[in-house]
Amino acid sequence: MTYYVGVDLGATNVRAVVADAEGRIIGTAKRGTPRGPTGIAVTEAVLGVTREACDDAGIDPEDAVSAGIGSIGPLDLAEGAVENPANLPDTIDRIPLTGPLSVLLDTDRVYLHNDTNAGVIGERFHSERNPDDVVYITVSTGIGAGVCIDGHVVSGWDGNAGEVGHMTVDPHGFMTCGCGHDGHWEAYCSGKNIPRYAYELYEEDPTVDTDLPVDDPDFSAVDVFQHAGDDEFADYVIDQLCHWNAMGVANVIHAYAPIVVYIGGAVALRNPTQVVDPIRERIEEMVMVNIPDIQLTSLGDDVVVKGAVASAMTGGTGDRARL
Ligand SMILES: [Zn+2]
């Protein structure tokens, strides 16, 4: 029998799955991502969940023929490692991945991707049409994209293609992004920045009547979406978010000409009618080329780990012709 391993290394959890020759998931395991002391502890957690997923599937790790990894970044693709991950403590400088996993599984076929590229591979693989031209956009703590065009998953020389959350959408730079620059899409619309943006909009006119707890240190994106429909100011904030989101997606469409755009990430998954539907409604006003299908991801929270397995099965591509 042929078996494949998929790993999702996130800032919160490490997950691994084992799939059989048909891609059916037959073993899973999950742990919290270690916060230190060093990157080696994270590497060990990746190896540990992979062993557990193999146990769960009733196979030996060496029975896997290949593996895919979808990981937080930034990546050092040449070294097969994560380098100074932004969302883990500073003591974690380097997380070796492909080398140690190759040793555990006794295979050279280990494909490393950033999480959005794993996402687009999963979307491509599981999409009915197995499209050559597809973009996956995550609207989560941050905003990013995985891009597959003309059948190629785009990574860039250093693996940083698809950082679309840092495209400038607001030339006036009303908001400053976490990266330090002004007017970036993510500075307005990511889960982390939505409450900051709502607060800044409120500060423009503090006399506005709203139930949003804008001054509460725990004020979050969840509050904004929960008050939708009952609170005029919350509706105004969401309308602004939709405006920037549609602009960001329109820019991505003009750059890449995808036939389908899948949108995922916690903000979109929890609020599809307030996040994804308005993009679809507004995009026609903003795009001069063919309008792609715009869909909520059908892979939910599993998009990265399913993409990692799909990568293992298709030589890092998501192309079902390569099965
Ligand atoms: Zn930025």
Side-chain angles (χ1 to χ4, degrees):
M1 272 297 276
T2 305
Y3 300 101
Y4 304 97
V5 165
V7 175
D8 170 5
L9 171 55
T12 312
N13 291 305
V14 193
R15 299 169 67 196
V17 302
V18 173
D20 65 13
E22 272 73 55
R24 279 185 299 257
I25 305 296
I26 56 168
T28 64
K30 180 173 156 179
R31 293 186 187 182
T33 305
R35 313 291 296 170
T38 66
I40 300 302
V42 182
T43 302
E44 281 168 0
V46 167
L47 299 177
V49 284
T50 302
R51 276 193 215 97
E52 285 163 27
C54 290
D55 280 349
D56 190 38
I59 69 162
D60 288 326
E62 302 89 50
D63 293 340
V65 296
S66 59
I69 308 170
S71 175
I72 50 171
L75 301 180
D76 179 340
L77 284 178
E79 295 293 322
V82 178
E83 204 65 66
N84 299 312
N87 296 320
L88 287 174
D90 286 345
T91 56
I92 296 183
D93 48 355
R94 184 177 179 76
I95 308 171
L97 290 173
T98 52
L101 200 60
S102 288
V103 172
L104 175 67
L105 304 177
D106 192 24
T107 174
D108 289 336
R109 292 171 58 201
V110 176
Y111 303 95
L112 175 62
H113 311 277
N114 68 32
D115 41 18
T116 50
N117 273 6
V120 77
I121 289 167
E123 298 290 1
R124 184 186 189 200
F125 183 85
H126 289 280
S127 176
E128 203 178 320
R129 290 175 289 184
N130 196 215
D132 281 350
D133 303 282
V134 50
V135 174
Y136 166 70
I137 297 175
T138 178
V139 185
S140 186
T141 312
I143 293 178
V147 176
C148 177
I149 290 304
D150 297 336
H152 300 288
V153 179
V154 176
S155 68
W157 73 273
D158 57 355
N160 286 324
E163 287 285 2
V164 301
H166 302 276
M167 292 191 306
T168 303
V169 291
D170 174 13
H172 302 294
F174 180 69
M175 295 296 293
T176 300
C177 189
C179 74
H181 301 300
D182 295 336
H184 290 180
W185 179 10
E186 176 176 309
Y188 301 74
C189 298
S190 73
K192 196 170 158 186
N193 288 325
I194 287 169
R196 286 180 56 226
Y197 181 41
Y199 178 80
E200 292 299 329
L201 288 175
Y202 176 79
E203 283 290 291
E204 291 220 299
D205 178 12
T207 62
V208 72
D209 184 26
T210 179
D211 288 334
L212 286 187
V214 287
D215 290 320
D216 188 327
D218 292 331
F219 175 45
S220 75
V222 175
D223 296 312
V224 175
F225 288 106
Q226 267 176 357
H227 282 80
D230 304 324
D231 188 290
E232 235 174 87
F233 178 69
D235 287 340
Y236 171 68
V237 173
I238 290 170
D239 183 68
Q240 294 300 301
L241 297 177
C242 293
H243 173 71
W244 302 121
N245 280 334
M247 193 180 286
V249 173
N251 289 345
V252 170
I253 293 168
H254 285 130
Y256 297 113
I259 198 160
V260 53
V261 176
Y262 289 102
I263 300 181
V267 174
L269 284 166
R270 288 186 197 145
N271 313 286
T273 56
Q274 290 148 324
V275 175
V276 181
D277 293 352
I279 295 174
R280 200 181 297 117
E281 286 154 18
R282 291 171 192 222
I283 208 85
E284 235 162 287
E285 306 275 297
M286 300 172 139
V287 170
M288 61 76 71
V289 294
N290 289 311
I291 309 273
D293 210 2
I294 296 171
Q295 299 283 343
L296 181 69
T297 173
S298 57
L299 305 179
D301 290 329
D302 295 333
V303 60
V304 174
V305 79
K306 283 190 170 168
V309 172
S311 167
M313 296 177 72
T314 60
T317 66
D319 179 359
R320 292 204 295 263
R322 306 228 348 207
L323 279 174

